[in-house]
Amino acid sequence: MAGADINLWIAFTAGILSFFSPCVLPLIPSYLTYITGALLSASCRTLTGARIRLTVIAHSLTFILGFSTVFIVLGGIVGLASAGFQEHLRAGLVWSSGSAAC
């Protein structure tokens, strides 16, 4: 069971490090703008603290759901394409059982 714990920590650390990579770091302001965007509008300035927290949680969850859906679908498409490509390669590697003529 100790090996599983180490793998979880390695995956967690890799995720944190990839979050701070140069291609992801510039996206953080847009994430924060989306998540807190409703709070900056004039109509939402009268919201209470609890309502603001619920709004941020709702925006965060929908953002995570949308982001996850896109990458799950893309991963599925790549997995299916890879399986088809592997099957095509295997079909080309069929060895004939007869003897070759010289």
Side-chain angles (χ1 to χ4, degrees):
M1 206 57 168
D5 292 337
I6 292 173
N7 290 337
L8 288 175
W9 281 110
I10 290 172
F12 178 75
T13 304
I16 294 295
L17 291 176
S18 68
F19 181 77
F20 292 108
S21 67
C23 58
V24 174
L25 204 55
L27 297 173
I28 293 173
S30 63
Y31 296 160
L32 293 176
T33 301
Y34 172 75
I35 290 171
T36 61
L39 304 178
L40 299 176
S41 67
S43 63
C44 292
R45 289 188 183 151
T46 60
L47 294 177
T48 63
R51 185 73 174 157
I52 290 172
R53 282 191 292 278
L54 286 174
T55 303
V56 170
I57 289 171
H59 281 200
S60 299
L61 291 176
T62 56
F63 180 82
I64 291 168
L65 180 66
F67 201 80
S68 298
T69 301
V70 167
F71 281 98
I72 289 169
V73 169
L74 288 175
I77 290 170
V78 169
L80 290 174
S82 173
F85 185 68
Q86 288 177 10
E87 186 63 36
H88 178 69
L89 287 178
R90 285 187 188 109
L93 293 176
V94 175
W95 296 90
S96 62
S97 59
S99 60
C102 293

